[in-house]
């Protein structure tokens, strides 16, 4: 890997991330919900590097409220979010569209527009040689997906399927530490899923040691995440989703069941 990603725990269960290009030292901070933990991390790790960029996955305060303080302190080259989030993301200077690509140091970055949780949600796909990482915000969580605050089930389904086409070994960095509770729901709707059982055991172990469950691996998500498994006969049977229902319809039912799951 010629890049590193460090999760920085923020608020009660958010992650900001520090992405560093090993060759050039270029550094992006992803989704700083608050400045203090990020400033503390940078204080220990910045060295000769500077903050090149701030990347926001969407406009919710728990993903961008640290922007202004970090901009004042580190003067990054730009603050990026989707073009439609103009006016909703503090200090935004770069307006992203589906398919945009640019560099962070030597790293190739490309943008996927993934509406559903919000209409302006984006994923940042980072590639270097065979290594791929994706920052998914509140759209794809490990073993779950975000609530549909602004989008429709069809939108979320299409967005998740877009992410599903990334290479299977892609590392998934999401916005919240929700993995353990997401897996409870995953096993509730698909109790026969052996991959989800194994994942729940390893996640329980990580959380008992207070370790983050990020990053996940995309191929594991395809095997365990009910929102990527709208074709599963077991899930459809348990939630009484018609075998002929579309993926979007199925996702809508699964999402409702999750909203009401305790
Ligand atoms: Zn959000
Ligand atoms: Fe969030």
């Amino acid at each position: 890997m010629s890049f590193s990603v460090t999760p920085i725990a923020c608020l009660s269960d958010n992650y900001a991330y520090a992405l560093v290009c090993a060759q050039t030292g270029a550094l992006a901070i992803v989704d700083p919900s608050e400045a203090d933990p990020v400033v503390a991390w940078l204080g220990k790790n910045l060295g000769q590097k500077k903050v090149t960029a701030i990347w926001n996955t969407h406009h919710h305060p728990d993903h961008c409220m640290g922007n202004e303080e970090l901009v004042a302190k580190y003067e990054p080259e730009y603050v990026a979010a989707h073009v439609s989030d103009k006016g909703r993301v503090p200090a935004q200077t770069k307006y992203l569209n589906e398919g945009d690509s640019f560099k962070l140091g030597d790293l190739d970055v490309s943008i996927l527009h993934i509406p559903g949780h919000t209409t302006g949600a984006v994923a940042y796909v980072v590639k270097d040689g065979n290594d791929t990482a994706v920052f998914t915000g509140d759209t794809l969580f490990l073993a779950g997906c975000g609530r549909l605050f602004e989008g429709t089930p069809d939108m979320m389904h299409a967005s998740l399927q877009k992410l599903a086409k990334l290479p299977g070994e892609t590392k998934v960095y999401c916005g919240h530490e929700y993995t353990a509770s997401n897996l409870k729901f995953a096993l509730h709707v698909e109790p026969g899923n052996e991959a989800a059982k194994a994942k729940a055991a390893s996640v329980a172990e990580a959380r008992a040691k207070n370790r983050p469950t990020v990053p996940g691996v995309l191929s594991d998500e395809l095997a365990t995440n009910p929102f990527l498994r709208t074709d599963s006969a077991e899930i459809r049977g348990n939630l009484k989703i018609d075998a002929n229902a579309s993926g979007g319809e199925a996702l809508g039912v699964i999402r409702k069941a999750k909203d009401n799951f305790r």
Side-chain angles (χ1 to χ4, degrees), residues 171-187:
K171 293 204 167 71
V172 178
Y173 295 90
C174 61
H176 290 265
E177 182 57 68
Y178 291 160
T179 315
S181 63
N182 284 345
L183 281 163
K184 267 184 207 143
F185 175 76
L187 285 167

Side-chain angles (χ1 to χ4, degrees), residues 125 127 131-134 163 166-172 216-219:
V125 181
K127 267 189 206 287
D131 295 320
T132 310
V134 63
L163 293 168
L166 292 169
E169 58 289 357
T170 300
K171 293 204 167 71
V172 178
V217 179
L218 185 61
S219 56

